[in-house]
Amino acid sequence: MSTPKAMQQSFALRFSSGAFLAFWCLLAAFPIFWIAVMSFKSPVDAFADSAWDVITGPATRANGDGLSIIDIALGLAVLYFAIRWAFTRLPGLVQRYCPSGLLVLGWIIGALAYAILFVLIFFGVLPLVLGVLNSLLGPLGNPVLGLTTQHYVAVWAENEFYRNFLNSMLVTAGVVTISLTVGTLAGYGLARSGSDLAFWLLILALVFRALPHSVLVAGYLPVFINSSEILRPIFGEGAPTLYGQPWAVIAVLVSINQPFTIWMLRSFFQNIPAELDEAARVDGCSHFQAFRRVIMPVMWPGVITTGLFSFLLGYNDFLVTSLLLDAQNQTMVPAIAGYFNRETTTTDQVEAVAAAVSITAPLFLLVMVFQRQIVSGLTAGAVKG
């Protein structure tokens, strides 16, 4: 269908809009691309003065670590089909085999299974196949691009970065679960309430959300430090100390995030006609049954979108986690900052870069898998139905 003449944009406007978008994408993607390249190089190449040396890695290649033309071609082909199938095949498989009431759980299981399968193929099967091909193809099997994974091995195996990853997953899962559970119930109640009290509760939530994070940490800190004395009448001599534990961080991050989830979910619930509640009530459902069986299936895009923002808050937090967690329970972002100190070497800096690249992979996978629901949720929240 052709665009009406009155709505057609001039060539200058289309060109300037496209040029600005391309320039913005370049600015946004360049840091991620550059640190990803640095993370696979030796320290000499990673901090070389020449950008060409950083990309090609001559010193890394001289150490015997590199990729041949066959490695690059097959690796890019596997990445292309993995991304393509994630957008085309995976959503269809989840919709086909997952019951309608467990769609979110199906997406989580499907994303994890797809990620594990990709890791096994890309890092397990593919290197074995390429090793055989490189030995058979002669000059085509010689390294042309310096690349090494020693920094990732050092980060995840020697420095036990996986412990920080597990701590981040624990904190993030707790923040998302509590925030969405309370947020959906509170957002639904406020959206269906016509009293002035609901308005003032929302204003209070907005004011609480605007407080600096350091204020909340300072307020909770004495309670967490003295938690063993506070809880001793209940638990006796075995009363736990919350300071340094993930549960303390979850409590603070939920306090920070809860007003945002309530505001956002309330806007989604307001876009759902109240007639659906009334029809469910006529059919014999209670208020909670109408909420669970009728409203929530319609709300999943909004819940997923809000859950993504809650996930990002817990996953990327630095201030709260660095102040309230001890070294054993530290999450990934403060752990990366710990690589930089007065005794930092260039090898430590490249390992920090490798760790920073590692923590972007779950975010990329999350957005790639749930991109349809995120776009649908943002559209539903932006348009008043």
Side-chain angles (χ1 to χ4, degrees):
M1 185 175 63
S2 61
T3 305
K5 186 175 181 180
M7 300 297 295
Q8 292 180 356
Q9 298 179 348
S10 64
F11 172 77
L13 180 58
R14 294 198 306 271
F15 177 80
S16 59
S17 300
F20 175 77
L21 181 61
F23 179 71
W24 180 86
C25 290
L26 179 63
L27 288 179
F30 175 77
I32 301 175
F33 165 77
W34 197 249
I35 64 172
V37 171
M38 290 177 60
S39 66
F40 290 102
K41 309 297 180 182
S42 66
V44 176
D45 290 329
F47 296 101
D49 295 332
S50 172
W52 181 250
D53 289 343
V54 177
I55 295 174
T56 58
T60 306
R61 192 170 63 250
N63 294 331
D65 300 317
L67 296 177
S68 65
I69 296 177
I70 301 300
D71 295 333
I72 297 173
L74 289 183
L76 290 176
V78 171
L79 284 176
Y80 169 76
F81 284 107
I83 295 174
R84 180 179 178 182
W85 289 342
F87 280 97
T88 57
R89 301 283 184 87
L90 183 60
L93 292 175
V94 173
Q95 295 285 348
R96 182 184 306 173
Y97 295 106
C98 180
S100 58
L102 300 174
L103 194 58
V104 174
L105 181 61
W107 272 107
I108 295 174
I109 295 175
L112 291 176
Y114 192 83
I116 295 173
L117 181 63
F118 172 78
V119 170
L120 291 177
I121 293 176
F122 195 79
F123 296 101
V125 178
L126 186 61
L128 298 177
V129 175
L130 292 174
V132 175
L133 291 178
N134 288 329
S135 62
L136 296 176
L137 295 178
L140 292 178
N142 296 330
V144 297
L145 183 67
L147 184 144
T148 179
T149 58
Q150 65 178 3
H151 304 300
Y152 288 92
V153 174
V155 167
W156 287 92
E158 298 176 9
N159 300 338
E160 298 183 339
F161 193 68
Y162 66 90
R163 297 182 183 274
N164 305 114
F165 175 78
L166 294 177
N167 292 332
S168 292
M169 291 299 100
L170 175 61
V171 170
T172 304
V175 171
V176 172
T177 302
I178 298 175
S179 296
L180 290 184
T181 302
V182 177
T184 51
L185 295 173
Y188 177 71
L190 293 174
R192 294 296 186 259
S193 175
S195 65
D196 294 336
L197 179 61
F199 171 78
W200 289 110
L201 285 176
L202 289 172
I203 294 298
L204 180 62
L206 181 61
V207 172
F208 194 78
R209 182 67 177 85
L211 292 175
H213 295 181
S214 57
V215 173
L216 294 175
V217 174
Y220 280 112
L221 195 57
V223 178
F224 293 146
I225 293 176
N226 301 318
S227 59
S228 59
E229 286 78 9
I230 297 174
L231 298 176
R232 186 167 297 167
I234 302 175
F235 297 99
E237 295 299 327
T241 300
L242 296 179
Y243 180 73
Q245 301 300 316
W247 316 114
V249 174
I250 292 174
V252 177
L253 291 180
V254 167
S255 301
I256 294 171
N257 186 57
Q258 199 63 77
F260 168 78
T261 58
I262 294 175
W263 268 88
M264 195 167 185
L265 289 170
R266 173 180 173 271
S267 66
F268 287 122
F269 281 119
Q270 285 182 321
N271 292 327
I272 298 177
E275 287 77 9
L276 291 178
D277 303 69
E278 298 172 359
R281 293 284 290 163
V282 170
D283 291 338
C285 293
S286 63
H287 284 294
F288 183 75
Q289 289 175 333
F291 167 76
R292 182 171 63 89
R293 298 181 179 180
V294 179
I295 303 302
M296 284 306 299
V298 184
M299 267 290 296
W300 278 126
V303 172
I304 292 175
T305 304
T306 308
L308 175 63
F309 287 108
S310 301
F311 179 91
L312 294 177
L313 173 72
Y315 193 81
N316 296 327
D317 181 79
F318 173 77
L319 177 63
V320 177
T321 52
S322 61
L323 291 177
L324 295 182
L325 290 178
D326 53 27
Q328 295 180 348
N329 295 310
Q330 199 62 264
T331 55
M332 291 188 291
V333 176
I336 293 175
Y339 279 93
F340 299 97
N341 52 52
R342 294 181 179 179
E343 300 178 356
T344 298
T345 63
T346 54
T347 301
D348 295 330
Q349 293 174 1
V350 180
E351 290 180 2
V353 170
V357 174
S358 300
I359 69 175
T360 62
L363 299 179
F364 177 78
L365 177 65
L366 189 71
V367 174
M368 184 174 64
V369 171
F370 292 106
Q371 49 94 18
R372 293 185 179 180
Q373 287 76 14
I374 293 171
V375 172
S376 176
L378 291 176
T379 304
V383 180
K384 179 70 176 177

Coordinates of all heavy atoms in Angstrom, one line a residue, residues 213-223 323-324:
H213 N 19.8 6.5 45.8 CA 20.0 5.2 46.3 C 20.8 5.2 47.6 O 20.6 4.3 48.5 CB 20.7 4.3 45.3 CG 19.8 4.1 44.1 ND1 20.2 3.4 43.0 CD2 18.6 4.6 43.7 CE1 19.3 3.4 42.1 NE2 18.3 4.1 42.5
S214 N 21.8 6.1 47.7 CA 22.6 6.2 48.9 C 21.8 6.5 50.2 O 22.2 6.0 51.3 CB 23.7 7.2 48.7 OG 23.1 8.5 48.5
V215 N 20.7 7.2 50.0 CA 19.8 7.5 51.2 C 19.2 6.2 51.7 O 19.2 6.0 52.9 CB 18.8 8.5 50.8 CG1 17.8 8.7 51.9 CG2 19.4 9.8 50.4
L216 N 18.7 5.4 50.8 CA 18.1 4.1 51.2 C 19.2 3.2 51.9 O 18.9 2.5 52.9 CB 17.4 3.4 50.1 CG 16.2 4.2 49.5 CD1 15.7 3.5 48.2 CD2 15.1 4.3 50.5
V217 N 20.3 3.1 51.3 CA 21.4 2.3 51.8 C 21.8 2.7 53.2 O 21.9 1.9 54.1 CB 22.6 2.3 50.9 CG1 23.8 1.5 51.5 CG2 22.3 1.7 49.5
A218 N 21.9 4.0 53.4 CA 22.3 4.6 54.7 C 21.2 4.3 55.7 O 21.5 4.0 56.9 CB 22.5 6.1 54.6
G219 N 19.9 4.3 55.3 CA 18.8 4.0 56.2 C 18.8 2.6 56.7 O 18.5 2.2 57.8
Y220 N 19.1 1.7 55.7 CA 19.0 0.2 56.0 C 20.2 -0.3 56.7 O 20.2 -1.3 57.3 CB 18.8 -0.6 54.7 CG 17.3 -0.6 54.2 CD1 17.0 0.1 53.0 CD2 16.4 -1.3 54.9 CE1 15.7 0.1 52.6 CE2 15.0 -1.3 54.5 CZ 14.7 -0.6 53.3 OH 13.4 -0.7 52.9
L221 N 21.4 0.4 56.5 CA 22.7 -0.2 56.9 C 22.7 -0.5 58.4 O 23.1 -1.6 58.8 CB 23.8 0.8 56.6 CG 25.2 0.3 56.7 CD1 25.4 -0.9 55.7 CD2 26.2 1.4 56.2
P222 N 22.2 0.4 59.3 CA 22.3 0.0 60.8 C 21.4 -1.2 61.1 O 21.8 -2.0 61.9 CB 21.7 1.3 61.5 CG 22.0 2.4 60.5 CD 21.8 1.8 59.2
V223 N 20.3 -1.3 60.4 CA 19.4 -2.5 60.6 C 20.1 -3.8 60.2 O 20.1 -4.8 60.9 CB 18.1 -2.3 59.8 CG1 17.2 -3.5 60.0 CG2 17.4 -1.0 60.3
L323 N 28.3 -1.8 48.5 CA 28.2 -1.3 49.9 C 27.7 -2.4 50.9 O 28.1 -2.4 52.0 CB 27.4 -0.1 50.0 CG 27.9 1.2 49.4 CD1 26.9 2.3 49.6 CD2 29.2 1.6 50.0
L324 N 26.8 -3.3 50.4 CA 26.2 -4.2 51.3 C 26.6 -5.6 51.2 O 26.3 -6.4 52.0 CB 24.6 -4.2 51.0 CG 23.9 -2.8 51.4 CD1 22.4 -3.0 51.1 CD2 24.2 -2.4 52.8

